[in-house]
Structures are given as structure tokens and as C-alpha cells.
Amino acid sequence: MAKPLVTMTGINKHFPGVLALDGVDFQLVAGEIHALMGENGAGKSTLVKVLTGAEAFESGQIKLDGFDAPIINHSPQEAQERGLATVYQEVNLAPNLSVAENLFVARQPRRLGLVNWRAIHRRAEAILAGIGLDIDVDKPLESYPIAVQQMVAIGRAIDVSAKVLILDEPTSSLNDQEVANLFALMRRLRDQGLGIIFISHFLEQVYEVCDRITVLRNGRLVGQYDVAHLARRELVSAMLGRSFDDLAALSRSDQDQSNDTTPVVRARGLAVRGGVKPFDLDIMPGEVVGLAGLLGSGRTQVARVIFAADPADQGTRLINNRQLPDRPLDSVRAGLAFCPESRKDEGVIGELSVRENIVVAQQSKLGAFHLMSHAEQVELAQHYIDLLQIKCASMETPIKQLSGGNQQKVILARWLATHPELLILDEPTRGIDIGTKAEIQRLCLELADQGMAVLFISSEIDEMLRTCSRIGVMRDLEKVGELTGDQLNSSAIMAAIAGGEADD
Amino acid sequence: MTDQHSRWRRLIHSRLFFPLVCLALVLALNVVITMVTTGSPGPFFDINFSNGTINGPLITILNRSSELVILAVGMTIVIASSGGVDISVGAVMALSGAVSVWLLGYGTLADNSYHVASYVVPYGVGLLAAIAVGAICGAWNGLLVAKLRIQAMVATLILFTGGRGLAKVVSEGQITKVDVPSYKFIGNFIQDGSGHNVVPVSTAIFVAAAVVALAGLLLRHSALGMNIQAVGINPKSSRLVGLNSGRVVFFAFVFCGVCAALAGIIATSRIGAVDSSNVGKLLEMDAILAVALGGNSLAGGRFSLAGSVIGAITIQSLTTVLYSVNVSADQLPFYKAIVVVLIVVLQSPELRPMLQRLRRRFRPTAGLRQVVAP
């Protein structure tokens, strides 16, 4: 076997009220891509943070190739100096600095004590060319889509002459082509002798690119496997600790659509200047409608315009046959609910407690001067914490201390608490473990059975096939068609997304 | 873990713990200094009743801190909702005082060499005018910050400099005095016709208490408290749940402006005159400091009104303590700065981990045990 780069043994770490890592062992060898898998709260992120010094650990040992004694990283900078580079799930760069500045921030090449801008520019272009990205490096990072920002973050990490590269959910914002580019790059780096730790929820990607898998569950090591000798079914049951049937049991119930009911939403020719082109969309009560399309196809814009998160420039939007002002508050009052794509930016209110994050939408619907009593708030919060099995130390814990999946559940709870007639879910399962994914999908179907309309957006076609009874297809900011009944299979959807035989 | 133990822990982790400790330290400082210099604890904690008033250093501190307490309440709301500060409050104090007196002595100021001998309009109208001026200034600041999205510090810089200038225009560059006895009631004591105190406690304390109580009640019995924090933490999320973050920030500034006007009424009433150059001078900085001393983040979001009030009283205590040990007014800022640095360091969230690391370094065995353990 190749030489070990990282050897972690018996790592223990507590968070208030939780044992986050319980004697975890982990080994990464040179020239491998090693997947770290597990449900939310399994300890993947914590293990990586302990390794990179973002979190302290209580006991255990970390050995790093090239160091005789066990090391403890006290900060990500220290880890970086020792050859451990990380790209986190959410891009951790400065959006208003230029791409080049982001690549060289805190390590600018200098000449005569001054920053050498010409060198920065040249080397930035070289780095990005190396990962197949041809963009203007002098433009601010925020002027590029998230996908490109992510690539820049990876470019920076790679360039910091790393021996170990840690990629935490790097592909969740990338389209297929970008993922393929990234994987090609990862393989190239692996062949050069780098060790890569890859954290992802996409099983297919793990099987496509990884050599070995370490599975964690509830802070404990489940096992380390060779990808070639591990069936997917075994992997999933290792991660979940339960049988695969839970997932398979989900199936779409075929509703009878009576045509005379009023649609919850009737959109006619809605469009945004420079954005999504005019589209029509009806959503009936009790219906789960999907929106399929690539990143940037306009699927998110459709959701935002329907909720009035962004104003439409033309067209009509009828909610239960009523025309409403383009303001989120009116949408909320009319029974619309919107879980946005970017949980961190537009969903969670970080320092507020879980309780406050749950009640805030209902409270805003009631108005500032109709305060829900503390008892009512506690009851409401507890109801949804139980219903959605939100894992938190207490309902007074700030939401930012929760794992991503549990944060998403809190956002979901926030909207369910308003008893919406239409629930808009934009990528509700992104960055979330399989167990929670299945729960959210099942919840969608249950809510639809109870008469709620759901607009469901996802990058995963399988997920939409499981939940949606009708799928609108978006391509290049245009709604190119709708698929129902027999057309609902992945090859038909892919064909529609890809274009060629436009479904008009 | 015993019950007592956990209660102690809860106390230590309470947001108000450190602000209270700081206040206690400042008060203790006075006793220590007096002990050292005179050999006895001194009259610092004495409270007595004479000449129809309740007297004592602590009462003086409460009285003198009234303006700052009121300003701190307004500043807390502005900081929590916008993450910015309103540096115009001192100037707004002067402006609202000047407009109020201008109205009370309307048309007669220049004739009476800038003395108001008798009210031209009812006193209540003068007070309402002051409050209206505060509200208008707040609305102006709020418009710049909430609608035009100018940074709060820059937006309020306009009134910070312009407000005093405008006050001088209104009072024609003079220090305008008011000779009507009732004008002094708010900043001092309410008196009957023969000059005897009717209420034994300074009116300013009641005004400050009323502002704190009113703000506290409003925040507790409406969702405004949560809305302000939500908007301060994440305006985008807040907007999507239906909160109008612009409106919240706007009203925060209006409220802060009204608070500044009330503080201005007290400050001008104390001396019975409006000196546009000096009313509330540098008080905006003390107000911001009070919020910080109260354990509130200046980045906005989570806030504690009680903390800010304690912070304001701490600052005034410090001033009083320093005066009582004969620090002259011009040296005051220096000593104040020393104590403020100590307090701010004490409250820094980085301090405790730093001390822990330091302790570990001096007891190396504790650190070694971890590495040696299998």
C-alpha cells in the first residue's frame, strides 16, 4: 500500500450536549481519492474541521506524513502550512475582491516589499487555465455564478502546494460538465500523488471518482471500504444503519385531477427582463409540480417570481384567482411559502434560536403587534421539532449551531407553521444526507395528500420522479415544456433538458 | 452537579453578568480610592433626605446618567436593526433644544438679548416641537440608511456636523436662556410657586425610567424585538418571511431621533439654557460605548436593552467617581479611556480562551497528558 499521508486515531470531540466524534480512526494514503460519507451529524464535517484545525479535539492523535511527532493544527492557516488545503461546502472567499485577489489573498507575491500585481494577474490566469477555467481574473468574484466561484476556491486550494486536498461538497453547485472537469482534475492530482478527501452526498459521484470510502454514523466509525468491493446497497445501509427499503417504499400516489378546482397559482406570461422568459404555470391544490433544468436554466427564477421574492416585469400572477402586490409579505399572507436555494444567505437567521427561526414567518404573517405568547411559540416550535425530528440541544439553541440538514428542517418547519397552500421548495435536499432526503420527499407527498400544492425544484431527477406528478422543464431561461404521466421517466426528462427534440 | 452550582453557572453565562460586574467594579473602585486617601469608605453609598430632596452620590449618578440612558436605548435599537451607529444624536439634542426655545420665545429672543422672559407659546408646544425635530432628524437619517442604503455612520455624519450648525442658525449664534422656572423642571426638580421641591427625586430620572419602561414593554409585548434582531442578523431571510427590513431600520432611526430629542430637553432644562456648541457634545460616543459595555454586538442582531442601560450608568458612574477623586474635567477623558479599555478587554469573548491557554502553558503537565494518552 502507498504511504499514509494522514493517520487519525481515536479522535474524540464533544459539542455541547453531543458527542460529535467518538474514537474515530481515519487514514488517507498518497494517490487516492477517499470519500468520507455519512448522514448529517455523522461527524464528517467535524472530522475534517478537527484535521484542519478549525475545531479543537479532546483526545486522540493525528499523524501527518513528513512530521515525526503527532501534530495538532490550531488554525486552518497552520494546517495549510503543513500541506492540508480545504475547499468548504459554501464558498469561503471574499465576493467583492477580484478573482485574482481571492487567489492570492494573504500570500501575495511581492516585489521590493510591494504587492506585485502583474505577477498576481499572470499567475491567477495560469492557475485557472490549469483547471480549465477561462475567465477575466480582474472582475470581482461575485460577478460570476456560484459554480465558477467554487472552481476558483478549488483553484486556490490546489495552488497552495497541498499534499492533501479536502473537498467538502464541492459538486453540489456544479453542472454536469463542470463536475466532469473537476473529476478529471481530481484524477490528475491523484496520479501526481496527492491525497484527496472527498465529501459528497451524491452516491454516483463517489462511485465514479473515489478509490476508498470511510463511513461514519453518529460520530462513530462504521468502516473503511474499497469502492470496488462495496455494493451501493451496502454503502447506504452502512450510512443509515437501516435497510434500504425505507427509500424504495416511496412512491408517487396518482391523484385525480379535477379540472374545475381553482389553481393555487396561475401564472400567465410572467417574465423578468434579462432573466426568465415569459412562462405559464398552473399549480393545483394537492399537486406536486417539479421544475427540472440545469443550474442557471431559470428554474430558481420561476420560483422566485411566483413567490414575488423578485418582482416580475411582465405577465400576471394570480394566487387563488387574486392578483397580489409583488411583495413577499403579501405572498406569505396569501398562503405561499418559499424555501430558497441558498439556505445560508436567505434562509437561516443565524443568531436567532431554533424557536425564533420557526415562528418568525407565522409571526410576520400575524403582524408585529399580534405577538404569539411565549407558550404558543414553544408549543409551535416543539410540534415541528418533533414532527420533523429536528436534532438540536434545545429549541433555544442558535440555529447556526445546527447541522445543514437540521437547519433545512427548521426552515421547512418555519413555513409549515404558516399552513401554506403552496410550498415552494428550491433544492430542499441539497447538501443533505439520504435519510433526511427521503424524509423530506415523503413529507412532500403527505402534504400533497392533505391538499397542499408543492412546487419542487431539484437537480436530482430521481428525486423529482419520486415526488412530482408533473414536471416543467426549463432550458436557457425558458420553460420548454411539461411532462406528465408516461413521459415521467429520466430519459425523457434528460432529453427535454438537453433539448434537440423540444417538447412543445 | 448541585442545584446551586448550576444556578451559579446560569448567572455567569447570563448576558447581563459581565455588564453588572463592570458596574460593580467601577463603584468598588470609588470606595477603594476613598479608603486609600482618607482611611474610611466615605459617603459614597449614603443616601439622605434634606431640603425636600433625596441626596447621595448614587442618586446623583442616576440623575446625571438620564440623558445617556435615553440615548443608549435609541442607539441600541439602531445598532441592532442596522448594524450601524447614529452619530448625530448629540447634535440632534442641541437642535431640538434650540428649536424648542426659539418657539417658546418666538419673536422676542433678539429683543430680550436672547432671554426667554415668558412663554410666547405654551410650554407643551415647545416640548412637542423638540420631539418633532428629533423625529424628523431620525426620519432623515432613516431615509438615507434604509432607502438610499448609505452606511449609517456616513449618513448620520451629515447631521453630526450640520445639526449643530443649524441649531446655531436657529438661535442666531447666541446662547439662549430661559428664565421661566417651569423650564427647569424636567432637568431638575418639580417645584411649587415658592421654590420648594414637590417631588424629592429629579424629574430626569423619571423621564429616563419611562423611556426604558416604554421601550421594554413595546419590545416585549410585540414582535418588534424579534423583528429588529432578525433584520439585523439577516435582512435577506427576513424579507422572504415577509418582514420589511427597510421599514424596521427606518423606524429604528426615528425612534433614536425621538430619544435624542428627549435627552436634549433634559440637558437644556438642567441649565435653563441652550448652548448649541456644547449640548450633548461627544455624548454620541458615550451612547455607542454604553451599548458596547452592555454586552451588545456593534454588528447588530441580538441585543439587550437592560445591558445598554447598565452600560450607560457605568459610564456615568465612572465620570462621577473620577470627579470625586478630583480629576479635572480636561483630564477626565484620559482616565476614562483607561477604565474603558479594561472593561472592554474584560468583556472580549477572546479573553477566556486566551486565559485558558495561558494557564495551560504554566501547567505543562495538563497539556502533556493529552498527547501521552493512548
Side-chain angles (χ1 to χ4, degrees), chain A residues 58 307-309 328-329 332 340 344-353 356 360 363-364 368-369 371 414-415, chain B residues 218-224 226-227 229-230 233-234 236-244 247 302 370-371 373:
Chain A
E58 284 131 25
F307 183 74
L329 180 58
V332 174
K344 188 173 149 199
D345 284 349
E346 299 193 310
V348 301
I349 305 173
E351 282 86 17
L352 289 192
S353 66
E356 287 168 308
V360 70
Q363 182 62 66
S364 125
F369 294 99
L371 180 69
R414 167 192 294 173
W415 289 114
Chain B
L218 196 63
L219 293 174
R220 180 155 304 198
H221 291 282
S222 74
L224 287 174
M226 185 170 77
N227 293 357
Q229 300 187 42
I233 295 166
N234 190 338
K236 281 190 194 164
S237 301
S238 306
R239 178 172 165 268
L240 287 187
V241 300
L243 296 177
N244 188 335
R247 196 184 300 170
R302 279 278 187 219
Q370 261 188 358
V371 182

Side-chain angles (χ1 to χ4, degrees), chain A residues 93-278:
Chain A
L93 297 175
N96 50 1
L97 292 185
S98 77
V99 171
E101 283 168 319
N102 267 297
L103 285 168
F104 287 98
V105 85
R107 55 188 194 105
Q108 294 95 336
R110 286 171 192 278
R111 221 170 122 218
L112 306 172
L114 297 172
V115 174
N116 185 347
W117 288 107
R118 213 184 301 164
I120 285 184
H121 183 91
R122 203 179 53 239
R123 282 174 53 186
E125 283 186 334
I127 291 170
L128 295 185
I131 59 170
L133 206 57
D134 180 22
I135 57 172
D136 182 353
V137 297
D138 293 326
K139 273 196 176 170
L141 186 70
E142 64 190 349
S143 62
Y144 292 105
I146 296 181
V148 173
Q149 298 185 17
Q150 184 102 53
M151 298 290 268
V152 172
I154 292 167
R156 177 181 160 101
I158 291 168
D159 190 59
V160 189
S161 64
K163 281 189 287 190
V164 176
L165 177 63
I166 301 160
L167 301 173
D168 190 349
E169 292 280 347
T171 57
S172 48
S173 331
L174 306 188
N175 68 30
D176 291 349
Q177 186 53 47
E178 288 161 332
V179 169
N181 288 345
L182 173 66
F183 284 179
L185 182 71
M186 283 166 66
R187 292 195 187 96
R188 200 158 75 221
L189 294 168
R190 171 189 64 191
D191 296 342
Q192 290 166 11
L194 236 76
I196 298 175
I197 299 175
F198 180 69
I199 302 178
S200 174
H201 288 295
F202 298 111
L203 294 187
E204 279 162 39
Q205 295 183 352
V206 167
Y207 274 91
E208 190 185 336
V209 77
C210 294
D211 304 304
R212 288 200 296 163
I213 300 179
T214 291
V215 178
L216 300 177
R217 189 171 71 236
N218 291 333
R220 293 213 184 89
L221 176 71
V222 177
Q224 198 173 70
Y225 314 91
D226 281 339
V227 172
H229 302 118
L230 181 69
R232 278 177 203 218
R233 218 185 157 86
E234 291 168 40
L235 172 61
V236 171
S237 50
M239 287 164 63
L240 296 180
R242 58 183 187 235
S243 84
F244 190 72
D245 297 337
D246 283 7
L247 275 180
L250 267 182
S251 74
R252 208 163 10 86
S253 65
D254 287 317
Q255 302 103 337
D256 330 299
Q257 292 302 335
S258 43
N259 288 328
D260 47 47
T261 45
T262 324
V264 183
V265 171
R266 166 159 289 176
R268 288 289 175 270
L270 277 183
V272 178
R273 208 174 297 123
V276 67
K277 291 170 189 154

